[in-house]
Amino acid sequence: ELYKLINDKFALERALTQMSELAKLTGVKNFRTLFKGYCQNQKMNRVADYTLNVTNFDGQEMELDTGEWEADEHGITKYGQFGEVIACVHPIMPVQRLVNIDTGVEKLKIAYRKGRNWRYVVSDKKQLASSNSIIGLADYGIAVTSENARHLVTYLHDIENLNYDAIPENNSVSRLGWIEGEGFSPYVDNLIFDGDLSFKHFFESVREKGKYDKWLTLVKRIRQGGIPARILLAASFASALVEPCGGLPFFVHLWGGTETGKTVGLMLAASVWANPEMG
């Protein structure tokens, strides 16, 4: 009866205290020790009701079934043939499945926490399937080494398959531009970026912001100042029309000496679509 509360530490402690007091009345003074031994025996013999095991992390986005794994603030563990197996020493779980709309390649968004704040990394399924390649996640601060890599692979594989319907799935893209049947990336609802992290800030800079009327008034005044500004703006608008018009790619060669306004002109062109700030 107590073991049914194994994943609710507060309820378990209350019930265990009550049971210990009752046990003393019958002459059993080491009930807590006996219960601890019972729990160890259940794990070692793999007869525990693993359906009760769920993620128990502070601030987690969702609660996921972990099967035979225990996943809490102390890390990810289970009992194997030769004792305790440690997959990771801190909270980690998959929270989203991403399917690239161009390639069909599937990736996983992994949430993990070391300290107070949750962090996220999007990883190829191929990387997560190999103990050799999953070590690359150490670059992002995940505690994975050659010692626990194999167990972390197994844990992530198990938890994804146990919760396939519970983990949300979204279309993703790794580029800007037209997506057949969808629209122009990133102006597509529920489309998530899954590309290289070094390109992510470019992708996220393309968004609506500011006051359109104010921008339009300023741009009209700039266009009256000369042909170069008109060429730059025309090229910026035309870039998104190449695909639907069936045209060929084009280049604009912007040439001039120092202090002639080339950088400012490029920022003007970028302002059509994105945050034009340097960097």
Side-chain angles (χ1 to χ4, degrees):
E1 289 300 311
L2 281 177
Y3 196 77
K4 291 178 181 179
L5 304 173
I6 195 68
N7 290 299
D8 187 338
K9 289 181 170 49
F10 180 71
L12 176 62
E13 182 59 31
R14 289 184 59 190
L16 185 55
T17 300
Q18 293 172 353
M19 193 72 78
S20 297
E21 293 299 320
L22 291 172
K24 288 179 183 178
L25 297 177
T26 66
V28 180
K29 298 181 180 180
N30 62 337
F31 183 80
R32 282 180 174 271
T33 302
L34 290 172
F35 179 67
K36 182 178 180 181
Y38 174 81
C39 291
Q40 296 285 358
N41 190 59
Q42 290 289 83
K43 294 175 182 177
M44 292 295 290
N45 293 320
R46 297 188 178 185
V47 296
D49 184 3
Y50 289 130
T51 58
L52 295 177
N53 281 344
V54 294
T55 53
N56 187 23
F57 307 133
D58 288 343
Q60 63 184 18
E61 294 185 25
M62 63 191 77
E63 184 180 89
L64 298 178
D65 180 6
T66 58
E68 59 184 331
W69 295 94
E70 290 192 17
D72 55 30
E73 289 300 301
H74 302 293
I76 317 299
T77 60
K78 72 174 181 178
Y79 277 85
Q81 184 177 357
F82 303 105
E84 188 179 54
V85 171
I86 300 176
C88 195
V89 296
H90 58 77
I92 183 170
M93 62 190 295
V95 294
Q96 194 172 42
R97 192 165 43 252
L98 303 175
V99 181
N100 190 282
I101 205 166
D102 288 324
T103 64
V105 171
E106 196 170 293
K107 297 184 180 182
L108 270 185
K109 183 179 180 181
I110 304 295
Y112 61 101
R113 200 187 79 236
K114 293 176 71 177
R116 295 183 178 180
N117 299 321
W118 283 92
R119 298 163 62 186
Y120 303 90
V121 61
V122 175
S123 179
D124 294 330
K125 295 290 287 291
K126 179 172 65 175
Q127 180 181 19
L128 300 176
S130 167
S131 58
N132 290 326
S133 59
I134 200 173
I135 294 177
L137 295 181
D139 290 340
Y140 301 100
I142 294 175
V144 55
T145 68
S146 57
E147 296 296 321
N148 69 318
R150 178 167 58 89
H151 303 307
L152 183 57
V153 167
T154 303
Y155 162 71
L156 291 174
H157 177 269
D158 289 349
I159 196 172
E160 184 196 1
N161 287 309
L162 286 169
N163 301 275
Y164 197 84
D165 293 332
I167 297 174
E169 180 175 296
N170 289 88
N171 288 332
S172 62
V173 69
S174 56
R175 62 178 178 84
L176 298 167
W178 289 98
I179 307 295
E180 186 175 357
E182 296 290 337
F184 192 88
S185 167
Y187 302 108
V188 178
D189 292 337
N190 300 318
L191 195 62
I192 298 171
F193 179 76
D194 69 353
D196 191 276
L197 289 178
S198 62
F199 186 67
K200 187 177 181 180
H201 71 285
F202 287 113
F203 186 89
E204 292 179 345
S205 73
V206 181
R207 63 187 189 277
E208 286 188 35
K209 192 170 184 178
K211 298 179 179 179
Y212 172 71
D213 292 336
K214 187 175 181 180
W215 178 88
L216 183 62
T217 300
L218 179 62
V219 166
K220 284 182 176 180
R221 192 163 72 243
I222 293 173
R223 287 184 79 254
Q224 295 174 356
I227 292 178
R230 288 155 60 186
I231 291 175
L232 286 169
L233 283 168
S236 185
F237 280 111
S239 64
L241 298 175
V242 171
E243 173 72 18
C245 291
L248 294 174
F250 65 86
F251 296 86
V252 173
H253 181 192
L254 188 65
W255 180 88
T258 58
E259 304 298 326
T260 56
K262 297 189 300 298
T263 300
V264 176
L266 288 173
M267 293 174 71
L268 171 68
S271 73
V272 173
W273 309 104
N275 181 355
E277 289 184 13
M278 295 296 292

